[in-house]
Amino acid sequence: VREEEAHARCGDAAGRLQAFSGLYHPGYDMSLSYGVVHLPAGTKIEAEQVLQLADERMYRHKVGRRAAR
């Protein structure tokens, strides 16, 4: 999956979660934070490094979402 498609899928999931929370848990705002890492085929990187990158991107996404409120 390309990075743009991964972001789109995550954005769709976040939208569905918000809609669900609005219907079934009014007054309780549920959200979804995610970090997407796209690596070209053959990239040599340890799993821990990939998880660290994804975690950093998830944190940036969360901070950006909170700032937009």
Side-chain angles (χ1 to χ4, degrees), residues 29-49:
D29 185 30
M30 288 192 251
S31 63
L32 176 70
S33 295
Y34 56 89
V36 174
V37 177
H38 178 264
L39 301 171
T43 300
K44 303 249 189 253
I45 187 170
E46 295 291 323
E48 291 83 12
Q49 292 172 296

Side-chain angles (χ1 to χ4, degrees), residues 13-14 17-18 21 28-33 62 65-66 69:
L17 180 62
Q18 274 193 315
S21 69
Y28 184 76
D29 185 30
M30 288 192 251
S31 63
L32 176 70
S33 295
K62 181 181 273 190
R65 195 182 68 245
R66 285 182 178 165
R69 286 186 194 171

